[in-house]
């Protein structure tokens, strides 16, 4: 099959979960239209409850959409349910591993499930690529948490899908393992796999994704290359640590609306196109502030998110 321009194309995708006696109906997706180019690492970023899993589960065939259309690898999911699903591998958050199978056996089972002929199976190759080559005959219960996670990725790759979807790949995972997972994602991407990942970690999207769609309340509020999304905000914050505590905003700086922070520092947010740092420092000196230390902060995705949605930002990763 020729490589399509877009790995995923969805138009006006909607999902309403029916209510029951106690729960009202829930509009989880309110008309998502999105094109994900082949070859990208695309991030769906949004807080919990935004609709990310619903979106992915519709593509994976696990949730029935209410309306709209979706194409995976140029195959409509209604017209070609089996073929379109064969074009994606989905890694969910849960680690589902039968403790009595070995990783090799699990991959063979999965390959059988997808109808991959024995001669075309690559179980050992996939396990090796994910650093599990020497564990291929171990019992799954003997694997560490990180190894089990990698096994879940391996399972999603048995049918050699051109598109890999990772739903919150590093949720609840420690910093070290998170970095390892990121390396694997980059490796798979380098080998030609289109990657789509959902995350509520800003740092993860910023680090990995070439484009990011921000999802909030079942709608896309932004969809842009990562760099452009970040450059949208043409401001910086200058943080001045004075030698002597500043107790009131000096009139010389008042027009810049500085914030006096509880730790005694002064934070001045300024438009980079309009004001230079030098000018701000001159004013600070004119106000009699003796500067012990200085730093600047560029806007990150958290700031972008607040600017776009006016809402609480997703959890800031500590990794
Ligand atoms: P995310 O993955 O971004 O956290 P979800 O897609 O899981 O978001 O959820 C979107 C919204 O739909 C949430 O308000 C959630 O409570 C609701 N929801 C998800 N699954 C179901 C379901 N099976 N039945 C009813 N409501 C659901």
């Amino acid at each position: 099959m020729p490589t399509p321009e877009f790995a995923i194309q969805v138009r006006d995708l909607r999902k309403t979960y029916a209510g029951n006696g106690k729960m009202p109906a829930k509009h989880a997706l309110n008309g998502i239209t999105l094109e994900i180019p082949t070859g990208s690492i695309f991030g769906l970023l949004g807080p919990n409850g935004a609709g990310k899993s619903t979106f992915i589960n519709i593509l994976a065939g696990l949730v029935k959409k209410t309306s709209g259309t979706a194409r995976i690898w140029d195959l409509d999911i209604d017209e070609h349910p089996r073929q379109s699903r064969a074009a994606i591998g989905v890694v969910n958050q849960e680690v589902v591993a039968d403790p009595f199978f070995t990783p090799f056996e699990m991959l063979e089972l999965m390959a059988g499930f997808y109808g991959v002929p024995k001669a075309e199976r690559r179980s050992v190759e996939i396990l090796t690529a994910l650093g599990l080559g020497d564990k291929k005959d171990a019992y799954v219960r003997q694997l560490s948490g990180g190894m089990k996670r990698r096994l879940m990725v391996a399972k999603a790759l048995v049918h050699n899908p051109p598109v890999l979807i990772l739903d919150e790949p590093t949720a609840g995972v420690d910093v070290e393992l998170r970095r390892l997972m990121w390396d694997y994602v980059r490796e798979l991407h380098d080998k030609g796999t289109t990657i789509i990942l959902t995350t509520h970690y800003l740092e993860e999207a910023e680090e990995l994704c070439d484009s990011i769609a921000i999802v909030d309340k079942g709608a896309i509020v932004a969809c842009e290359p990562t760099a452009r999304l970040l450059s949208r905000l043409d401001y910086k914050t200058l943080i001045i640590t004075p030698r002597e505590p500043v107790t009131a905003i000096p009139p010389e700086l008042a027009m810049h609306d500085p914030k006096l922070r509880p730790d005694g520092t002064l934070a001045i947010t300024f438009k980079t196109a309009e004001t230079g740092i030098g000018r701000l420092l001159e004013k600070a000196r004119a106000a009699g502030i003796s500067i012990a230390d200085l730093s600047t902060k560029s806007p990150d995705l958290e700031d972008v998110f607040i600017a776009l949605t006016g809402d609480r930002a997703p959890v800031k990763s500590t990794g």
Side-chain angles (χ1 to χ4, degrees):
M1 194 193 303
T3 302
E5 182 181 1
F6 297 108
I8 305 282
Q9 275 177 300
V10 304
R11 287 214 197 302
D12 202 21
L13 198 63
R14 290 170 192 271
K15 174 63 190 180
T16 303
Y17 290 105
N20 56 33
K22 290 181 205 131
M23 296 271 289
K26 174 78 203 173
H27 299 293
L29 296 184
N30 296 310
I32 299 244
T33 296
L34 195 61
E35 286 179 331
I36 301 180
T38 299
S40 53
I41 304 188
F42 192 93
L44 281 173
L45 177 69
N48 286 325
K52 305 181 297 293
S53 298
T54 300
F55 178 81
I56 278 173
N57 287 336
I58 290 173
L59 296 179
L62 299 171
V63 166
K64 205 171 167 324
K65 63 187 161 61
T66 305
S67 65
T69 60
R71 300 177 80 79
I72 303 170
W73 214 245
D74 230 4
L75 296 158
D76 185 280
I77 62 167
D78 293 329
E79 289 167 25
H80 306 281
R82 207 175 46 81
Q83 283 163 285
S84 63
R85 227 163 289 155
I88 53 169
V90 181
V91 186
N92 285 308
Q93 281 175 58
E94 304 100 276
V95 174
V96 192
D98 190 311
F100 298 106
F101 285 115
T102 68
F104 178 78
E105 288 165 346
M106 275 185 65
L107 261 55
E108 287 292 305
L109 268 176
M110 228 28 220
F113 174 74
Y114 275 108
V116 181
K118 272 219 153 62
E120 289 173 25
R121 293 186 191 168
R122 304 175 303 130
S123 301
V124 174
E125 183 192 319
I126 295 168
L127 289 170
T128 306
L130 285 159
L132 294 169
D134 58 341
K135 298 284 177 202
K136 74 181 177 61
D137 298 320
Y139 282 115
V140 171
R141 62 169 183 266
Q142 297 167 331
L143 304 185
S144 71
M147 290 174 181
K148 283 184 192 148
R149 282 252 174 185
R150 280 181 269 155
L151 184 56
M152 294 302 105
V153 178
K155 266 177 76 182
L157 293 172
V158 292
H159 57 301
N160 201 19
V163 186
L164 185 67
I165 299 187
L166 301 159
D167 193 4
E168 303 269 355
T170 60
V173 157
D174 64 39
V175 173
E176 199 182 334
L177 180 55
R178 187 178 304 162
R179 300 242 162 234
L180 262 179
M181 293 287 289
W182 290 356
D183 288 343
Y184 290 128
V185 169
R186 285 199 195 95
E187 242 178 80
L188 287 169
H189 175 253
D190 289 346
K191 287 184 186 146
T193 308
T194 301
I195 312 270
I196 296 157
L197 70 94
T198 74
T199 183
H200 60 266
Y201 292 124
L202 301 159
E203 188 198 358
E204 189 155 82
E206 209 171 329
E207 174 91 16
L208 280 180
C209 302
D210 44 44
S211 290
I212 295 173
I214 297 185
V215 193
D216 190 40
K217 301 186 180 79
I220 305 262
V221 294
C223 179
E224 292 184 359
T226 307
R228 198 189 312 155
L229 197 68
L230 292 175
S231 71
R232 257 196 205 222
L233 304 183
D234 63 338
Y235 67 76
K236 276 191 175 179
T237 302
L238 171 67
I239 297 151
I240 298 176
T241 307
R243 267 183 224 289
E244 306 293 329
V246 177
T247 49
I249 303 293
E252 290 86 347
L253 287 168
M255 66 170 289
H256 298 288
D257 192 24
K259 301 280 176 285
L260 206 51
R261 309 201 304 185
D263 61 358
T265 58
L266 207 57
I268 307 172
T269 297
F270 62 100
K271 283 221 176 253
T272 44
E274 290 168 10
T275 314
I277 290 181
R279 185 90 195 88
L280 291 173
L281 293 180
E282 275 168 30
K283 287 185 181 181
R285 272 191 221 104
I289 296 173
S290 164
I291 297 167
D293 199 6
L294 277 182
S295 64
T296 60
K297 179 183 165 295
S298 297
D300 57 18
L301 279 171
E302 183 160 13
D303 300 310
V304 177
F305 192 89
I306 293 167
L308 290 170
T309 66
D311 211 345
R312 177 183 57 84
V315 179
K316 181 88 187 171
S317 156
T318 50

